[in-house]
Amino acid sequence: MSRIALVTLIVRDYDEALAFYRDALGFELVEDTDRGDGARWVVVRPRGAADGTGLLLARAKDEAQAGAVGAQTGGRVGFFLHTEDFAADHARMRAAGVRFLEEPRHETYGSVAVFEDLYGNRWDLLQPAG
């Protein structure tokens, strides 16, 4: 095994999730395939990460899955988005309406700020040190 290809993120709606990840975070749409009965296979990933892990945006099918939207990691930061230009990406994301929960911090491991996606899942925007 050489890598994790996809991570599923349960969403309320394909199009609103796609708009957030594509337009606010700057991800690229890798695939959007109709699977019948209103289901779609929607994959996004950070722009330029051709071999990187993608997100499968999966619409909640039932009440149990709907209850997990925005709480897939129990309120902890569950996703880590690396950047090579923290200041520029932070400013671009703020301008696009991304909600940051804190001001940027500069730690020994790098520059970081926690933000929430449109559902409340917590992410780190992180430029590793070095």
Side-chain angles (χ1 to χ4, degrees):
M1 291 177 272
S2 60
R3 67 184 177 98
I4 295 174
L6 293 173
V7 173
T8 299
L9 186 66
I10 303 171
V11 301
R12 278 192 307 255
D13 179 83
Y14 294 115
D15 292 324
E16 74 179 4
L18 180 56
F20 178 82
Y21 286 96
R22 184 191 55 220
D23 302 338
L25 295 191
F27 284 22
E28 65 182 337
L29 176 62
V30 175
E31 184 176 355
D32 187 351
T33 303
D34 185 336
R35 309 246 334 177
D37 294 329
R40 290 161 54 188
W41 185 265
V42 180
V43 176
V44 296
R45 71 173 162 237
R47 195 166 302 284
D51 291 330
T53 302
L55 289 178
L56 172 63
L57 304 178
R59 188 182 64 200
K61 290 183 180 180
D62 56 33
E63 287 185 38
Q65 289 181 10
V69 172
Q72 293 186 123
T73 60
R76 295 186 58 120
V77 171
F79 306 95
F80 300 83
L81 183 58
H82 282 197
T83 177
E84 294 177 1
D85 189 343
F86 181 89
D89 285 332
H90 182 262
R92 179 188 53 75
M93 290 167 64
R94 285 184 60 107
V98 175
R99 181 172 176 256
F100 281 86
L101 302 180
E102 63 184 14
E103 291 301 313
R105 294 179 284 124
H106 305 287
E107 304 288 349
T108 57
Y109 56 86
S111 297
V112 63
V114 176
F115 69 92
E116 287 183 337
D117 69 14
L118 73 163
Y119 300 115
N121 294 302
R122 292 182 177 203
W123 290 69
D124 269 358
L125 175 64
L126 175 63
Q127 181 174 355

